[in-house]
Each structure stands twice: as C-alpha cells, then as structure tokens.
Amino acid sequence: MKKWFVLSAAVLLAACAHVNKNTVNYQASLFDHTRYYVVAGNGPDKASAQASARANMRAALQNGAPDAAQLPVLADVLANAKTEKVWKEKGAKPANYFALAVLDRALAQGMLTPHMDTLDAKLAGFTKKLNAGPEPFAAFKLALNMQPFVQERNAYQDLYAFINASQEGYKADDFATYKAALKNAMGAVKVSVQTQGPQHLVLTALITDALNRLGLGVADASATDAPLTVRVETTVDGYESEKVKGLEWCSSGASVSMVDETLGVTFARFHVQDRAGTSRAADSLRRSMQGVGEKASQQISQRMLTYLKIR
C-alpha cells in the first residue's frame, strides 16, 4: 500500500511537470470562472495582445446580448475588464503575445442592477395602471408607452444573464409579470383580417404576421366583435398575350381598407401593386402576389400604429 502511494505521487509530479503553462487554456484555468469571465487575445506585442483581448471581450458580450450593444453602461462594464495577464508564446516566430481580459462578474452585475431597478419601478407603475382594467384602446396606448421600457429592460436582462455564471436574469419573475401585462394589453385589441380575390390567402398570412409583430391580436375572419377590420381585395393581370425577353409576366394588386368598427370610421384606404416575370406563369403569379403582400403588410402596420396612437 505504501509503495502505491509513493508511485502515485511520482506519477502526479511527472504529469504536472509536463503541463504546458504557455497555453491560453492553462492560463485561463487559473481563474475561478464562477467569479470571473475570461476572454483571450493575441498580437505581435504586449499592447496589441491586450487591445485584442479587450476587443474580443466586447465582441463576446455583444454577441451574447446583441440588444445590449447600444447600452451606454456597456462601455463602463468593459472599462472594468483587466488585461494584466500577458505572456509571450515560446518559440513563436515572428513574436506572438497572448493576453487575458478578465471581468469580475459580480462587479459587472452590480453596474447593471441600478438601471434595471429604475426600469422596474417604471414598469411596475404601468402594470398597476393596466391591471386597473382600462378599456382595450386605452390599455393599448398605455402599452405603447410601456413598450420601449420593456425593450430596454430586456437588453439589460440579456447582458446580465450572459455575464452571470448561472445564466440567470435579474428579478426574472417580476420582469415576466411586466412583460405579460404588456402582451395582454397589446393583444386585447383584436383585428379581423378579411381577404378575397386571387391568391388572397398569401396576403392573409403576411398581414396576420405583421399585425402579430405589432403585438395585436388577430381574430378569425368570421368574427363579428373585432373592433378593427382590415379588408383586402386582390386582382391579377396575367399579361397572357405578352412575353418580354421570353418571360411570363404577371401583375398583381391589392386594394386595402382599414376600418374602426366601433366608431364606424374607415381610417385608411390604399392600393399596392407588384409584378414579376419568370419562365412559368404560376411562379410569376406567386412572386408578384408575395410582393403585393409585403408592401401591403408594411403599410398596414404603419397606418395601424399611427391610428391607434391618436385614436
């Protein structure tokens, strides 16, 4: 038994003696990764290696939390990343230096939480008003004012979670409550999308998707209680007698009206067109109608949002 312990110790010492301490992995392993976020960089001299490590740290944080890239606090967080660990790669020709950018996770998180506390106070105020039960259009206006604060808070949350070793967000349950209140208020205003004409289902899908991105609820076309209606009629001119450069051309259009059923007011009317030419008439029809749907969806979103803000 005694010989076994001596042999084991000898093997361990031999293994340690052959550890390459010149590698990034080894040097980074010396840090407690539950406490520090570590990123490496390299360059032909010490200053270049440090600058590379700092740049890689910025890129890592921005890739991990893309929406946080424009937060002013990100520069302050990065300013607290230390680049004191620098070493020269042995035998490298030309010379190559490595550097580690080391960020104290707790310090960085502490820089983010005051901003999130401020936003949470605002979001709690909006949520209280929404929970009081205003009528749907009034609630929607509140939600529109609330939305930018939720988006900003979400950017902070993503950055905080990325820096946090456990990947957990800050006061996640509270934030989830605020987001749910926003979603419910936006979705309470229902829109009926009614389309007819050739290939009209293409527009139904695109318009529904656009309204959902706004946060609005889309009712079934047969619903009679939706306060807002989008009516679309499509038309097609196949140019069957014409070929241009050997292509089959198709021109499609859509006439759109947007109605506030509660007030009995048509608040928008417009027409869009698009055309496409391919070797097959069916493909030309599909492409032209897709173009019509995209144009119509964009205008519907813009006009709907403008109207709801002033209604």
Side-chain angles (χ1 to χ4, degrees), residues 211-249:
L211 292 172
N212 284 336
R213 286 198 301 271
L214 283 181
L216 292 166
V218 177
D220 186 86
S222 61
T224 58
D225 58 345
L228 300 171
T229 302
V230 174
R231 296 190 178 95
V232 182
E233 185 170 357
T234 61
T235 56
V236 173
D237 181 351
Y239 291 142
E240 294 178 358
S241 63
E242 294 187 24
K243 282 193 175 184
V244 180
K245 295 182 180 179
L247 301 179
E248 297 280 354
W249 285 86

PDB file of all heavy atoms in Angstrom, residues 211-249:
ATOM      1  N   LEU A 211     -49.288  42.082 -38.161  1.00  0.00           N
ATOM      2  CA  LEU A 211     -50.070  42.568 -37.022  1.00  0.00           C
ATOM      3  C   LEU A 211     -49.614  41.896 -35.717  1.00  0.00           C
ATOM      4  O   LEU A 211     -49.570  42.539 -34.670  1.00  0.00           O
ATOM      5  CB  LEU A 211     -51.550  42.320 -37.255  1.00  0.00           C
ATOM      6  CG  LEU A 211     -52.186  43.145 -38.393  1.00  0.00           C
ATOM      7  CD1 LEU A 211     -53.606  42.676 -38.675  1.00  0.00           C
ATOM      8  CD2 LEU A 211     -52.178  44.634 -38.047  1.00  0.00           C
ATOM      9  N   ASN A 212     -49.273  40.617 -35.811  1.00  0.00           N
ATOM     10  CA  ASN A 212     -48.769  39.928 -34.627  1.00  0.00           C
ATOM     11  C   ASN A 212     -47.448  40.521 -34.150  1.00  0.00           C
ATOM     12  O   ASN A 212     -47.189  40.595 -32.947  1.00  0.00           O
ATOM     13  CB  ASN A 212     -48.590  38.430 -34.924  1.00  0.00           C
ATOM     14  CG  ASN A 212     -49.905  37.677 -34.937  1.00  0.00           C
ATOM     15  OD1 ASN A 212     -50.882  38.095 -34.320  1.00  0.00           O
ATOM     16  ND2 ASN A 212     -49.957  36.563 -35.634  1.00  0.00           N
ATOM     17  N   ARG A 213     -46.613  40.937 -35.081  1.00  0.00           N
ATOM     18  CA  ARG A 213     -45.341  41.563 -34.701  1.00  0.00           C
ATOM     19  C   ARG A 213     -45.572  42.885 -33.976  1.00  0.00           C
ATOM     20  O   ARG A 213     -44.760  43.294 -33.143  1.00  0.00           O
ATOM     21  CB  ARG A 213     -44.449  41.774 -35.925  1.00  0.00           C
ATOM     22  CG  ARG A 213     -43.811  40.486 -36.444  1.00  0.00           C
ATOM     23  CD  ARG A 213     -42.616  40.790 -37.344  1.00  0.00           C
ATOM     24  NE  ARG A 213     -42.998  41.601 -38.486  1.00  0.00           N
ATOM     25  CZ  ARG A 213     -43.417  41.113 -39.640  1.00  0.00           C
ATOM     26  NH1 ARG A 213     -43.535  39.806 -39.804  1.00  0.00           N
ATOM     27  NH2 ARG A 213     -43.725  41.912 -40.645  1.00  0.00           N
ATOM     28  N   LEU A 214     -46.684  43.550 -34.303  1.00  0.00           N
ATOM     29  CA  LEU A 214     -47.041  44.765 -33.564  1.00  0.00           C
ATOM     30  C   LEU A 214     -47.537  44.438 -32.165  1.00  0.00           C
ATOM     31  O   LEU A 214     -47.591  45.311 -31.296  1.00  0.00           O
ATOM     32  CB  LEU A 214     -48.136  45.531 -34.307  1.00  0.00           C
ATOM     33  CG  LEU A 214     -47.756  46.348 -35.539  1.00  0.00           C
ATOM     34  CD1 LEU A 214     -48.989  47.042 -36.096  1.00  0.00           C
ATOM     35  CD2 LEU A 214     -46.663  47.351 -35.230  1.00  0.00           C
ATOM     36  N   GLY A 215     -47.917  43.189 -31.952  1.00  0.00           N
ATOM     37  CA  GLY A 215     -48.460  42.779 -30.663  1.00  0.00           C
ATOM     38  C   GLY A 215     -49.974  42.716 -30.647  1.00  0.00           C
ATOM     39  O   GLY A 215     -50.576  42.420 -29.613  1.00  0.00           O
ATOM     40  N   LEU A 216     -50.601  42.994 -31.786  1.00  0.00           N
ATOM     41  CA  LEU A 216     -52.067  42.979 -31.859  1.00  0.00           C
ATOM     42  C   LEU A 216     -52.595  41.559 -31.995  1.00  0.00           C
ATOM     43  O   LEU A 216     -51.942  40.694 -32.581  1.00  0.00           O
ATOM     44  CB  LEU A 216     -52.534  43.813 -33.052  1.00  0.00           C
ATOM     45  CG  LEU A 216     -52.294  45.324 -32.948  1.00  0.00           C
ATOM     46  CD1 LEU A 216     -52.473  45.973 -34.314  1.00  0.00           C
ATOM     47  CD2 LEU A 216     -53.235  45.945 -31.937  1.00  0.00           C
ATOM     48  N   GLY A 217     -53.784  41.338 -31.459  1.00  0.00           N
ATOM     49  CA  GLY A 217     -54.434  40.052 -31.629  1.00  0.00           C
ATOM     50  C   GLY A 217     -55.196  40.023 -32.939  1.00  0.00           C
ATOM     51  O   GLY A 217     -55.821  41.013 -33.325  1.00  0.00           O
ATOM     52  N   VAL A 218     -55.127  38.912 -33.663  1.00  0.00           N
ATOM     53  CA  VAL A 218     -55.833  38.770 -34.939  1.00  0.00           C
ATOM     54  C   VAL A 218     -56.984  37.793 -34.745  1.00  0.00           C
ATOM     55  O   VAL A 218     -56.776  36.633 -34.395  1.00  0.00           O
ATOM     56  CB  VAL A 218     -54.888  38.287 -36.046  1.00  0.00           C
ATOM     57  CG1 VAL A 218     -55.658  38.082 -37.350  1.00  0.00           C
ATOM     58  CG2 VAL A 218     -53.763  39.290 -36.248  1.00  0.00           C
ATOM     59  N   ALA A 219     -58.192  38.300 -34.963  1.00  0.00           N
ATOM     60  CA  ALA A 219     -59.388  37.482 -34.796  1.00  0.00           C
ATOM     61  C   ALA A 219     -59.661  36.685 -36.057  1.00  0.00           C
ATOM     62  O   ALA A 219     -59.147  36.996 -37.142  1.00  0.00           O
ATOM     63  CB  ALA A 219     -60.584  38.380 -34.470  1.00  0.00           C
ATOM     64  N   ASP A 220     -60.461  35.669 -35.929  1.00  0.00           N
ATOM     65  CA  ASP A 220     -60.892  34.899 -37.089  1.00  0.00           C
ATOM     66  C   ASP A 220     -61.660  35.812 -38.043  1.00  0.00           C
ATOM     67  O   ASP A 220     -62.364  36.732 -37.616  1.00  0.00           O
ATOM     68  CB  ASP A 220     -61.782  33.743 -36.631  1.00  0.00           C
ATOM     69  CG  ASP A 220     -62.143  32.820 -37.787  1.00  0.00           C
ATOM     70  OD1 ASP A 220     -61.353  31.911 -38.057  1.00  0.00           O
ATOM     71  OD2 ASP A 220     -63.205  33.050 -38.394  1.00  0.00           O
ATOM     72  N   ALA A 221     -61.505  35.562 -39.331  1.00  0.00           N
ATOM     73  CA  ALA A 221     -62.151  36.426 -40.329  1.00  0.00           C
ATOM     74  C   ALA A 221     -63.655  36.501 -40.163  1.00  0.00           C
ATOM     75  O   ALA A 221     -64.294  37.493 -40.535  1.00  0.00           O
ATOM     76  CB  ALA A 221     -61.805  35.929 -41.732  1.00  0.00           C
ATOM     77  N   SER A 222     -64.239  35.460 -39.586  1.00  0.00           N
ATOM     78  CA  SER A 222     -65.697  35.433 -39.417  1.00  0.00           C
ATOM     79  C   SER A 222     -66.154  36.133 -38.137  1.00  0.00           C
ATOM     80  O   SER A 222     -67.353  36.274 -37.902  1.00  0.00           O
ATOM     81  CB  SER A 222     -66.177  33.978 -39.391  1.00  0.00           C
ATOM     82  OG  SER A 222     -65.581  33.276 -38.301  1.00  0.00           O
ATOM     83  N   ALA A 223     -65.201  36.584 -37.313  1.00  0.00           N
ATOM     84  CA  ALA A 223     -65.567  37.226 -36.045  1.00  0.00           C
ATOM     85  C   ALA A 223     -66.322  38.520 -36.307  1.00  0.00           C
ATOM     86  O   ALA A 223     -65.973  39.299 -37.196  1.00  0.00           O
ATOM     87  CB  ALA A 223     -64.310  37.501 -35.223  1.00  0.00           C
ATOM     88  N   THR A 224     -67.357  38.744 -35.512  1.00  0.00           N
ATOM     89  CA  THR A 224     -68.179  39.951 -35.691  1.00  0.00           C
ATOM     90  C   THR A 224     -67.944  40.980 -34.589  1.00  0.00           C
ATOM     91  O   THR A 224     -68.501  42.083 -34.660  1.00  0.00           O
ATOM     92  CB  THR A 224     -69.675  39.575 -35.707  1.00  0.00           C
ATOM     93  OG1 THR A 224     -70.007  38.907 -34.472  1.00  0.00           O
ATOM     94  CG2 THR A 224     -69.974  38.652 -36.877  1.00  0.00           C
ATOM     95  N   ASP A 225     -67.124  40.622 -33.592  1.00  0.00           N
ATOM     96  CA  ASP A 225     -66.934  41.531 -32.462  1.00  0.00           C
ATOM     97  C   ASP A 225     -65.567  42.206 -32.451  1.00  0.00           C
ATOM     98  O   ASP A 225     -65.248  42.933 -31.509  1.00  0.00           O
ATOM     99  CB  ASP A 225     -67.141  40.775 -31.141  1.00  0.00           C
ATOM    100  CG  ASP A 225     -66.185  39.595 -31.001  1.00  0.00           C
ATOM    101  OD1 ASP A 225     -65.578  39.203 -32.017  1.00  0.00           O
ATOM    102  OD2 ASP A 225     -66.051  39.074 -29.872  1.00  0.00           O
ATOM    103  N   ALA A 226     -64.757  41.981 -33.489  1.00  0.00           N
ATOM    104  CA  ALA A 226     -63.447  42.637 -33.531  1.00  0.00           C
ATOM    105  C   ALA A 226     -63.638  44.124 -33.783  1.00  0.00           C
ATOM    106  O   ALA A 226     -64.345  44.508 -34.736  1.00  0.00           O
ATOM    107  CB  ALA A 226     -62.581  42.016 -34.620  1.00  0.00           C
ATOM    108  N   PRO A 227     -63.023  44.995 -32.981  1.00  0.00           N
ATOM    109  CA  PRO A 227     -63.232  46.439 -33.154  1.00  0.00           C
ATOM    110  C   PRO A 227     -62.542  47.019 -34.386  1.00  0.00           C
ATOM    111  O   PRO A 227     -62.906  48.104 -34.840  1.00  0.00           O
ATOM    112  CB  PRO A 227     -62.645  47.026 -31.871  1.00  0.00           C
ATOM    113  CG  PRO A 227     -61.632  46.026 -31.423  1.00  0.00           C
ATOM    114  CD  PRO A 227     -62.169  44.693 -31.824  1.00  0.00           C
ATOM    115  N   LEU A 228     -61.573  46.307 -34.927  1.00  0.00           N
ATOM    116  CA  LEU A 228     -60.846  46.796 -36.105  1.00  0.00           C
ATOM    117  C   LEU A 228     -60.897  45.749 -37.209  1.00  0.00           C
ATOM    118  O   LEU A 228     -60.821  44.550 -36.947  1.00  0.00           O
ATOM    119  CB  LEU A 228     -59.388  47.094 -35.762  1.00  0.00           C
ATOM    120  CG  LEU A 228     -59.129  48.151 -34.688  1.00  0.00           C
ATOM    121  CD1 LEU A 228     -57.657  48.173 -34.312  1.00  0.00           C
ATOM    122  CD2 LEU A 228     -59.577  49.538 -35.174  1.00  0.00           C
ATOM    123  N   THR A 229     -61.023  46.214 -38.448  1.00  0.00           N
ATOM    124  CA  THR A 229     -61.075  45.304 -39.585  1.00  0.00           C
ATOM    125  C   THR A 229     -60.138  45.787 -40.680  1.00  0.00           C
ATOM    126  O   THR A 229     -60.079  46.981 -40.982  1.00  0.00           O
ATOM    127  CB  THR A 229     -62.497  45.211 -40.167  1.00  0.00           C
ATOM    128  OG1 THR A 229     -63.390  44.767 -39.148  1.00  0.00           O
ATOM    129  CG2 THR A 229     -62.550  44.246 -41.337  1.00  0.00           C
ATOM    130  N   VAL A 230     -59.412  44.845 -41.254  1.00  0.00           N
ATOM    131  CA  VAL A 230     -58.608  45.113 -42.446  1.00  0.00           C
ATOM    132  C   VAL A 230     -59.231  44.309 -43.580  1.00  0.00           C
ATOM    133  O   VAL A 230     -59.294  43.074 -43.525  1.00  0.00           O
ATOM    134  CB  VAL A 230     -57.142  44.700 -42.249  1.00  0.00           C
ATOM    135  CG1 VAL A 230     -56.368  44.852 -43.561  1.00  0.00           C
ATOM    136  CG2 VAL A 230     -56.487  45.533 -41.157  1.00  0.00           C
ATOM    137  N   ARG A 231     -59.725  45.010 -44.612  1.00  0.00           N
ATOM    138  CA  ARG A 231     -60.348  44.349 -45.763  1.00  0.00           C
ATOM    139  C   ARG A 231     -59.432  44.484 -46.976  1.00  0.00           C
ATOM    140  O   ARG A 231     -58.950  45.581 -47.285  1.00  0.00           O
ATOM    141  CB  ARG A 231     -61.717  44.950 -46.062  1.00  0.00           C
ATOM    142  CG  ARG A 231     -62.736  44.739 -44.947  1.00  0.00           C
ATOM    143  CD  ARG A 231     -64.145  45.121 -45.381  1.00  0.00           C
ATOM    144  NE  ARG A 231     -65.112  44.867 -44.312  1.00  0.00           N
ATOM    145  CZ  ARG A 231     -65.517  45.786 -43.446  1.00  0.00           C
ATOM    146  NH1 ARG A 231     -65.067  47.025 -43.545  1.00  0.00           N
ATOM    147  NH2 ARG A 231     -66.386  45.466 -42.499  1.00  0.00           N
ATOM    148  N   VAL A 232     -59.219  43.362 -47.660  1.00  0.00           N
ATOM    149  CA  VAL A 232     -58.296  43.344 -48.800  1.00  0.00           C
ATOM    150  C   VAL A 232     -58.947  42.612 -49.969  1.00  0.00           C
ATOM    151  O   VAL A 232     -59.502  41.517 -49.800  1.00  0.00           O
ATOM    152  CB  VAL A 232     -56.976  42.634 -48.427  1.00  0.00           C
ATOM    153  CG1 VAL A 232     -56.012  42.669 -49.617  1.00  0.00           C
ATOM    154  CG2 VAL A 232     -56.340  43.261 -47.197  1.00  0.00           C
ATOM    155  N   GLU A 233     -58.870  43.211 -51.150  1.00  0.00           N
ATOM    156  CA  GLU A 233     -59.320  42.553 -52.370  1.00  0.00           C
ATOM    157  C   GLU A 233     -58.167  42.524 -53.366  1.00  0.00           C
ATOM    158  O   GLU A 233     -57.602  43.573 -53.709  1.00  0.00           O
ATOM    159  CB  GLU A 233     -60.521  43.267 -52.980  1.00  0.00           C
ATOM    160  CG  GLU A 233     -61.077  42.534 -54.196  1.00  0.00           C
ATOM    161  CD  GLU A 233     -62.416  43.090 -54.675  1.00  0.00           C
ATOM    162  OE1 GLU A 233     -62.945  44.015 -54.025  1.00  0.00           O
ATOM    163  OE2 GLU A 233     -62.928  42.581 -55.695  1.00  0.00           O
ATOM    164  N   THR A 234     -57.821  41.317 -53.811  1.00  0.00           N
ATOM    165  CA  THR A 234     -56.689  41.169 -54.726  1.00  0.00           C
ATOM    166  C   THR A 234     -57.161  41.091 -56.172  1.00  0.00           C
ATOM    167  O   THR A 234     -58.286  40.655 -56.460  1.00  0.00           O
ATOM    168  CB  THR A 234     -55.882  39.898 -54.405  1.00  0.00           C
ATOM    169  OG1 THR A 234     -56.734  38.749 -54.563  1.00  0.00           O
ATOM    170  CG2 THR A 234     -55.346  39.944 -52.977  1.00  0.00           C
ATOM    171  N   THR A 235     -56.280  41.527 -57.074  1.00  0.00           N
ATOM    172  CA  THR A 235     -56.548  41.442 -58.511  1.00  0.00           C
ATOM    173  C   THR A 235     -55.280  40.957 -59.203  1.00  0.00           C
ATOM    174  O   THR A 235     -54.170  41.135 -58.701  1.00  0.00           O
ATOM    175  CB  THR A 235     -56.938  42.815 -59.088  1.00  0.00           C
ATOM    176  OG1 THR A 235     -55.898  43.765 -58.795  1.00  0.00           O
ATOM    177  CG2 THR A 235     -58.250  43.314 -58.495  1.00  0.00           C
ATOM    178  N   VAL A 236     -55.477  40.349 -60.378  1.00  0.00           N
ATOM    179  CA  VAL A 236     -54.344  39.813 -61.143  1.00  0.00           C
ATOM    180  C   VAL A 236     -54.536  40.132 -62.614  1.00  0.00           C
ATOM    181  O   VAL A 236     -55.625  39.951 -63.173  1.00  0.00           O
ATOM    182  CB  VAL A 236     -54.212  38.285 -60.962  1.00  0.00           C
ATOM    183  CG1 VAL A 236     -53.132  37.734 -61.900  1.00  0.00           C
ATOM    184  CG2 VAL A 236     -53.884  37.938 -59.529  1.00  0.00           C
ATOM    185  N   ASP A 237     -53.452  40.612 -63.264  1.00  0.00           N
ATOM    186  CA  ASP A 237     -53.412  40.779 -64.710  1.00  0.00           C
ATOM    187  C   ASP A 237     -52.260  39.913 -65.211  1.00  0.00           C
ATOM    188  O   ASP A 237     -51.097  40.234 -64.986  1.00  0.00           O
ATOM    189  CB  ASP A 237     -53.190  42.244 -65.087  1.00  0.00           C
ATOM    190  CG  ASP A 237     -53.174  42.452 -66.595  1.00  0.00           C
ATOM    191  OD1 ASP A 237     -53.171  41.437 -67.318  1.00  0.00           O
ATOM    192  OD2 ASP A 237     -53.144  43.602 -67.033  1.00  0.00           O
ATOM    193  N   GLY A 238     -52.590  38.828 -65.853  1.00  0.00           N
ATOM    194  CA  GLY A 238     -51.555  37.875 -66.232  1.00  0.00           C
ATOM    195  C   GLY A 238     -50.745  38.253 -67.454  1.00  0.00           C
ATOM    196  O   GLY A 238     -49.760  37.583 -67.755  1.00  0.00           O
ATOM    197  N   TYR A 239     -51.144  39.330 -68.162  1.00  0.00           N
ATOM    198  CA  TYR A 239     -50.450  39.689 -69.400  1.00  0.00           C
ATOM    199  C   TYR A 239     -50.306  38.478 -70.316  1.00  0.00           C
ATOM    200  O   TYR A 239     -49.238  38.193 -70.852  1.00  0.00           O
ATOM    201  CB  TYR A 239     -49.050  40.259 -69.107  1.00  0.00           C
ATOM    202  CG  TYR A 239     -49.061  41.611 -68.454  1.00  0.00           C
ATOM    203  CD1 TYR A 239     -48.136  41.928 -67.469  1.00  0.00           C
ATOM    204  CD2 TYR A 239     -49.995  42.584 -68.808  1.00  0.00           C
ATOM    205  CE1 TYR A 239     -48.125  43.161 -66.848  1.00  0.00           C
ATOM    206  CE2 TYR A 239     -50.006  43.827 -68.197  1.00  0.00           C
ATOM    207  CZ  TYR A 239     -49.061  44.102 -67.222  1.00  0.00           C
ATOM    208  OH  TYR A 239     -49.070  45.324 -66.617  1.00  0.00           O
ATOM    209  N   GLU A 240     -51.378  37.724 -70.473  1.00  0.00           N
ATOM    210  CA  GLU A 240     -51.275  36.447 -71.176  1.00  0.00           C
ATOM    211  C   GLU A 240     -50.818  36.611 -72.619  1.00  0.00           C
ATOM    212  O   GLU A 240     -50.223  35.705 -73.196  1.00  0.00           O
ATOM    213  CB  GLU A 240     -52.619  35.720 -71.125  1.00  0.00           C
ATOM    214  CG  GLU A 240     -53.012  35.303 -69.701  1.00  0.00           C
ATOM    215  CD  GLU A 240     -54.369  34.626 -69.679  1.00  0.00           C
ATOM    216  OE1 GLU A 240     -54.991  34.529 -70.739  1.00  0.00           O
ATOM    217  OE2 GLU A 240     -54.784  34.197 -68.582  1.00  0.00           O
ATOM    218  N   SER A 241     -51.078  37.786 -73.233  1.00  0.00           N
ATOM    219  CA  SER A 241     -50.726  37.960 -74.633  1.00  0.00           C
ATOM    220  C   SER A 241     -49.320  38.517 -74.812  1.00  0.00           C
ATOM    221  O   SER A 241     -48.873  38.691 -75.940  1.00  0.00           O
ATOM    222  CB  SER A 241     -51.733  38.908 -75.311  1.00  0.00           C
ATOM    223  OG  SER A 241     -51.667  40.190 -74.703  1.00  0.00           O
ATOM    224  N   GLU A 242     -48.650  38.806 -73.718  1.00  0.00           N
ATOM    225  CA  GLU A 242     -47.336  39.434 -73.831  1.00  0.00           C
ATOM    226  C   GLU A 242     -46.244  38.593 -73.205  1.00  0.00           C
ATOM    227  O   GLU A 242     -46.417  37.991 -72.148  1.00  0.00           O
ATOM    228  CB  GLU A 242     -47.343  40.812 -73.151  1.00  0.00           C
ATOM    229  CG  GLU A 242     -48.231  41.821 -73.834  1.00  0.00           C
ATOM    230  CD  GLU A 242     -48.080  43.202 -73.231  1.00  0.00           C
ATOM    231  OE1 GLU A 242     -47.023  43.463 -72.641  1.00  0.00           O
ATOM    232  OE2 GLU A 242     -49.012  43.999 -73.357  1.00  0.00           O
ATOM    233  N   LYS A 243     -45.113  38.567 -73.872  1.00  0.00           N
ATOM    234  CA  LYS A 243     -43.904  37.961 -73.323  1.00  0.00           C
ATOM    235  C   LYS A 243     -42.781  38.965 -73.531  1.00  0.00           C
ATOM    236  O   LYS A 243     -42.615  39.506 -74.619  1.00  0.00           O
ATOM    237  CB  LYS A 243     -43.554  36.651 -74.017  1.00  0.00           C
ATOM    238  CG  LYS A 243     -44.391  35.465 -73.564  1.00  0.00           C
ATOM    239  CD  LYS A 243     -43.777  34.160 -74.048  1.00  0.00           C
ATOM    240  CE  LYS A 243     -44.538  32.964 -73.498  1.00  0.00           C
ATOM    241  NZ  LYS A 243     -43.905  31.684 -73.883  1.00  0.00           N
ATOM    242  N   VAL A 244     -42.049  39.227 -72.480  1.00  0.00           N
ATOM    243  CA  VAL A 244     -40.937  40.157 -72.568  1.00  0.00           C
ATOM    244  C   VAL A 244     -39.662  39.381 -72.264  1.00  0.00           C
ATOM    245  O   VAL A 244     -39.529  38.798 -71.182  1.00  0.00           O
ATOM    246  CB  VAL A 244     -41.097  41.325 -71.569  1.00  0.00           C
ATOM    247  CG1 VAL A 244     -39.918  42.280 -71.692  1.00  0.00           C
ATOM    248  CG2 VAL A 244     -42.405  42.043 -71.814  1.00  0.00           C
ATOM    249  N   LYS A 245     -38.760  39.355 -73.242  1.00  0.00           N
ATOM    250  CA  LYS A 245     -37.493  38.635 -73.099  1.00  0.00           C
ATOM    251  C   LYS A 245     -37.717  37.174 -72.704  1.00  0.00           C
ATOM    252  O   LYS A 245     -37.015  36.612 -71.882  1.00  0.00           O
ATOM    253  CB  LYS A 245     -36.590  39.330 -72.063  1.00  0.00           C
ATOM    254  CG  LYS A 245     -36.150  40.718 -72.486  1.00  0.00           C
ATOM    255  CD  LYS A 245     -35.224  41.327 -71.452  1.00  0.00           C
ATOM    256  CE  LYS A 245     -34.782  42.712 -71.878  1.00  0.00           C
ATOM    257  NZ  LYS A 245     -33.899  43.350 -70.882  1.00  0.00           N
ATOM    258  N   GLY A 246     -38.762  36.596 -73.280  1.00  0.00           N
ATOM    259  CA  GLY A 246     -39.023  35.192 -73.055  1.00  0.00           C
ATOM    260  C   GLY A 246     -39.624  34.847 -71.719  1.00  0.00           C
ATOM    261  O   GLY A 246     -39.732  33.670 -71.374  1.00  0.00           O
ATOM    262  N   LEU A 247     -40.036  35.851 -70.922  1.00  0.00           N
ATOM    263  CA  LEU A 247     -40.585  35.614 -69.597  1.00  0.00           C
ATOM    264  C   LEU A 247     -42.098  35.779 -69.583  1.00  0.00           C
ATOM    265  O   LEU A 247     -42.655  36.589 -70.329  1.00  0.00           O
ATOM    266  CB  LEU A 247     -39.962  36.584 -68.578  1.00  0.00           C
ATOM    267  CG  LEU A 247     -38.444  36.526 -68.406  1.00  0.00           C
ATOM    268  CD1 LEU A 247     -37.998  37.569 -67.388  1.00  0.00           C
ATOM    269  CD2 LEU A 247     -38.004  35.135 -67.964  1.00  0.00           C
ATOM    270  N   GLU A 248     -42.737  35.006 -68.733  1.00  0.00           N
ATOM    271  CA  GLU A 248     -44.175  35.150 -68.490  1.00  0.00           C
ATOM    272  C   GLU A 248     -44.358  36.152 -67.356  1.00  0.00           C
ATOM    273  O   GLU A 248     -43.915  35.928 -66.241  1.00  0.00           O
ATOM    274  CB  GLU A 248     -44.778  33.801 -68.080  1.00  0.00           C
ATOM    275  CG  GLU A 248     -44.691  32.718 -69.126  1.00  0.00           C
ATOM    276  CD  GLU A 248     -45.784  32.858 -70.181  1.00  0.00           C
ATOM    277  OE1 GLU A 248     -46.658  33.736 -70.009  1.00  0.00           O
ATOM    278  OE2 GLU A 248     -45.750  32.111 -71.171  1.00  0.00           O
ATOM    279  N   TRP A 249     -45.029  37.262 -67.660  1.00  0.00           N
ATOM    280  CA  TRP A 249     -45.170  38.336 -66.668  1.00  0.00           C
ATOM    281  C   TRP A 249     -46.540  38.304 -66.005  1.00  0.00           C
ATOM    282  O   TRP A 249     -47.537  37.934 -66.623  1.00  0.00           O
ATOM    283  CB  TRP A 249     -44.958  39.700 -67.316  1.00  0.00           C
ATOM    284  CG  TRP A 249     -43.516  39.952 -67.596  1.00  0.00           C
ATOM    285  CD1 TRP A 249     -42.812  39.577 -68.704  1.00  0.00           C
ATOM    286  CD2 TRP A 249     -42.596  40.593 -66.736  1.00  0.00           C
ATOM    287  NE1 TRP A 249     -41.507  39.945 -68.596  1.00  0.00           N
ATOM    288  CE2 TRP A 249     -41.339  40.583 -67.389  1.00  0.00           C
ATOM    289  CE3 TRP A 249     -42.692  41.179 -65.481  1.00  0.00           C
ATOM    290  CZ2 TRP A 249     -40.199  41.133 -66.832  1.00  0.00           C
ATOM    291  CZ3 TRP A 249     -41.557  41.740 -64.923  1.00  0.00           C
ATOM    292  CH2 TRP A 249     -40.333  41.711 -65.584  1.00  0.00           C
TER     293      TRP A 249
END
